[in-house]
Amino acid sequence: MRQEIRKMPALSILMFRLSLIAAFIAAFVPDLNPARFEASISRNASLFTSAIAYETITPNYIKRALLNGWIEQMPLTLTYIGTAMCMLAIAAMVAAFCMSLGNTMLRRRSFMFTIGAALSGLLGTVFLFLAQNMFDNSPNIDRLQSLFPIGIWAFGGIFAILLIYAAILWFTLPQPTPEEKDQLSIAPKYSLFLMILPFLVLVALFAYLPLYSWRYAFYHYESGFELTADRFVGLFWFRELFGRFRSDIMRVMSNTFALSGIGIATSWLPIVFAIFLSELKFNPFKRTVQTLTTIPNYISWVLVYSIAFAVFSTEGFFNWMLTSLGLQEQGKNFLMDGGNMWVKMWAWGTWKGLGWGAIIYIAGISAIDPQLYEAAMVDGAGRFKRMWHITVPGLMPTYFVLLLLSIANLLSNGLDQYLVFQNAATKRSIEVLDLYVYNLGFDGSNTSLATLVGMLKSIISVTLLFAANKTSKWLRGESIV
């Protein structure tokens, strides 16, 4: 019986933390957005989005209604204030969650934080409720599609439950001992967890939360229409992908594998560049070369295409030079030439990333024991033999890890490079999987099929990652994840 009594506070605090996590997650669920009081407001906007961007609750239709006098400014202002207060309350609850991991004094403060945050959040929901009533009583409400957001009741209930729960825990938690009253401490394991918590949240928001949009692959989605049961098509787009779009998929996959394969086959170039760069003895020249080869990595692909246009367009520098030398009569637009596009894309990518890719190998060379080189010199080994028998083997573990990661990302060629170089003559040769998804979704307006292709790409990429990990463990005895 005593053991059960001792377990109760720990269980209660665990439930308290889970409740705070649930409140935080709810702020990013669009269906629970308490600010969506009119049908023209985006269905993808969450409480977080509405709290940080006033424009999300004032789309063009709402602005036009405001200018025409159909509604007043006060409901919109109250709505924004209410969402901001709710979001600030949830931010305070995040702080309360962190404090609940500490000792008794910090836990008591976390309960007080939660009580204050819940009261602020409840006041915010009151503002939202008043704004909704004012909006519904507008003189020309029949011109608008008024909605009552369920999020008002949802967040009101969450804040009320947390207020009561935190108050109960604050009264029932044992008083701190005299030694604990002046101490605010968190266990080391929780301190480390809190250090990585912001990054875990970012990963969850930008890597896992978007997976919710995979549902579009099972609907016939058209912009402006909701996903309803009438638009559910099941595996229709799967059949279309391997039926009507089979030829496109084969072409796109061949481009993807070819361009990725060329990159993997030439992935040794940064090693060679790093080795020869490290062998340079004249430091000013060495630093100049390293700087000039690293700078292109920081140039966007839009600017790279601008450079390519200035050099290889009809009136570019290259054509001007050939014409001036009498090697051709008129300029030729090399950017509209669809031949050898795989090699051209590889060349541009190598020019842009060679210096940056060599940095990690230069760092690896500096970590090799200098005594190995001294012993080789005593044995009569020349510079190239030292490079081949010491430097290259010392870089091989790093190279194999990066190589296996490249294999895992075989389908992820990127989008920027191929998007800017894409035109009518080059599209068939450089349309990789990422660019195909972009073209389907934006140019082809087929969001459902684009979602399906992106979903399959993610699944295959994860499969390749685990396959590469198994290969690494089999060949090197070490895993990479």
Side-chain angles (χ1 to χ4, degrees):
M1 186 66 179
R2 291 181 179 178
Q3 292 179 352
E4 293 179 357
I5 293 175
R6 290 176 182 175
K7 290 180 181 179
M8 284 301 294
L11 180 61
S12 300
I13 293 173
L14 176 62
M15 295 300 297
F16 172 72
R17 293 170 183 164
L18 293 177
S19 301
L20 295 177
I21 294 174
F24 176 77
I25 294 174
F28 298 92
V29 178
D31 293 336
L32 296 180
N33 184 9
R36 190 168 184 263
F37 54 84
E38 209 275 337
S40 65
I41 297 176
S42 175
R43 298 187 304 272
N44 296 320
S46 62
L47 171 65
F48 174 77
T49 309
S50 299
I52 64 174
Y54 179 71
E55 290 77 11
T56 59
I57 60 177
T58 55
N60 292 333
Y61 190 71
I62 296 295
K63 291 179 180 177
R64 187 164 65 251
L66 190 63
L67 291 175
N68 292 333
W70 300 345
I71 58 174
E72 297 179 353
Q73 179 65 47
M74 183 56 69
L76 302 178
T77 304
L78 284 178
T79 300
Y80 185 65
I81 293 174
T83 54
M85 292 184 67
C86 291
M87 198 62 225
L88 288 174
I90 291 176
M93 289 179 180
V94 171
F97 172 84
C98 298
M99 289 188 290
S100 70
L101 300 174
N103 59 1
T104 304
M105 285 297 297
L106 274 178
R107 288 181 180 180
R108 293 186 69 85
R109 293 193 180 185
S110 73
F111 300 149
M112 293 300 298
F113 251 68
T114 304
I115 292 173
L119 290 173
S120 175
L122 286 173
L123 183 59
T125 57
V126 170
F127 285 166
L128 289 168
F129 185 78
L130 293 176
Q132 180 64 34
N133 284 337
M134 294 175 66
F135 182 80
D136 289 338
N137 294 326
S138 299
N140 291 287
I141 190 61
D142 55 328
R143 296 176 180 266
L144 304 170
Q145 300 181 48
S146 176
L147 301 173
F148 186 85
I150 190 175
I152 294 179
W153 296 114
F155 281 97
I158 290 174
F159 293 139
I161 292 173
L162 283 172
L163 173 64
I164 297 172
Y165 198 18
I168 293 174
L169 288 176
W170 189 80
F171 282 108
T172 57
L173 188 71
Q175 292 291 331
T177 61
E179 294 80 9
E180 294 177 331
K181 285 187 177 181
D182 298 328
Q183 294 181 358
L184 298 174
S185 61
I186 299 179
K189 60 179 180 179
Y190 292 132
S191 300
L192 296 174
F193 170 73
L194 292 178
M195 289 175 64
I196 66 169
L197 182 60
F199 304 100
L200 294 177
V201 172
L202 290 176
V203 170
L205 292 180
F206 295 102
Y208 292 103
L209 187 61
L211 298 182
Y212 179 66
S213 299
W214 279 6
R215 69 189 191 279
Y216 288 99
F218 302 94
Y219 287 83
H220 179 65
Y221 176 74
E222 295 181 20
S223 180
F225 294 91
E226 296 185 6
L227 295 181
T228 61
D230 295 337
R231 295 185 172 271
F232 181 77
V233 294
L235 300 178
F236 171 78
W237 293 113
F238 289 81
R239 295 190 295 269
E240 287 289 293
L241 180 64
F242 298 104
R244 183 158 57 97
F245 294 91
R246 182 188 304 173
S247 60
D248 288 341
I249 288 296
M250 295 299 294
R251 174 180 57 82
V252 169
M253 292 302 293
S254 64
N255 292 337
T256 303
F257 283 115
L259 289 165
S260 294
I262 293 173
I264 291 174
T266 57
S267 59
W268 49 270
L269 288 177
I271 290 185
V272 175
F273 180 72
I275 292 174
F276 283 113
L277 189 64
S278 65
E279 291 295 324
L280 293 175
K281 302 304 180 183
F282 187 53
N283 286 330
F285 178 71
K286 177 180 178 180
R287 287 194 294 267
T288 302
V289 171
Q290 186 173 2
T291 301
L292 292 177
T293 55
T294 305
I295 286 176
N297 178 75
Y298 300 99
I299 302 175
S300 70
W301 278 108
V302 176
L303 294 179
V304 171
Y305 182 78
S306 300
I307 296 172
F309 186 83
V311 176
F312 295 107
S313 64
T314 306
E315 299 179 354
F317 172 78
F318 191 66
N319 279 297
W320 171 81
M321 183 178 64
L322 294 179
T323 305
S324 300
L325 295 175
L327 299 177
Q328 64 181 21
E329 295 182 358
Q330 59 182 5
K332 177 183 177 182
N333 192 344
F334 292 96
L335 297 178
M336 290 295 292
D337 182 8
N340 301 317
M341 286 306 299
W342 293 349
V343 177
K344 293 176 183 177
M345 291 297 99
W346 165 81
W348 282 110
T350 301
W351 171 78
K352 191 173 187 296
L354 182 64
W356 175 258
I359 289 178
I360 189 171
Y361 296 112
I362 293 174
I365 291 173
S366 64
I368 298 176
D369 190 356
Q371 294 181 359
L372 296 176
Y373 294 100
E374 296 173 1
M377 292 177 64
V378 171
D379 292 338
R383 175 175 294 187
F384 284 97
K385 286 189 176 181
R386 294 197 300 270
M387 291 162 53
W388 180 254
H389 293 287
I390 298 176
T391 308
V392 173
L395 295 178
M396 281 298 103
T398 303
Y399 171 71
F400 278 116
V401 170
L402 296 178
L403 177 63
L404 291 173
L405 289 176
S406 299
I407 295 173
N409 292 319
L410 194 65
L411 300 181
S412 300
N413 304 84
L415 172 67
D416 300 349
Q417 176 183 1
Y418 308 105
L419 178 62
V420 296
F421 280 93
Q422 174 186 243
N423 54 53
T426 63
K427 179 178 179 180
R428 292 190 60 83
S429 300
I430 65 173
E431 190 175 29
V432 295
L433 198 58
D434 290 330
L435 181 58
Y436 182 66
V437 171
Y438 175 86
N439 289 333
L440 273 178
F442 288 91
D443 293 344
S445 299
N446 196 334
T447 306
S448 299
L449 185 60
T451 303
L452 172 60
V453 176
M455 179 178 70
L456 294 179
K457 176 209 160 188
S458 299
I459 294 174
I460 295 173
S461 297
V462 172
T463 305
L464 288 173
L465 175 62
F466 283 101
N469 186 58
K470 285 290 185 182
T471 304
S472 174
K473 193 170 184 179
W474 178 56
L475 293 176
R476 302 171 55 247
E478 298 179 4
S479 60
I480 57 177
V481 293

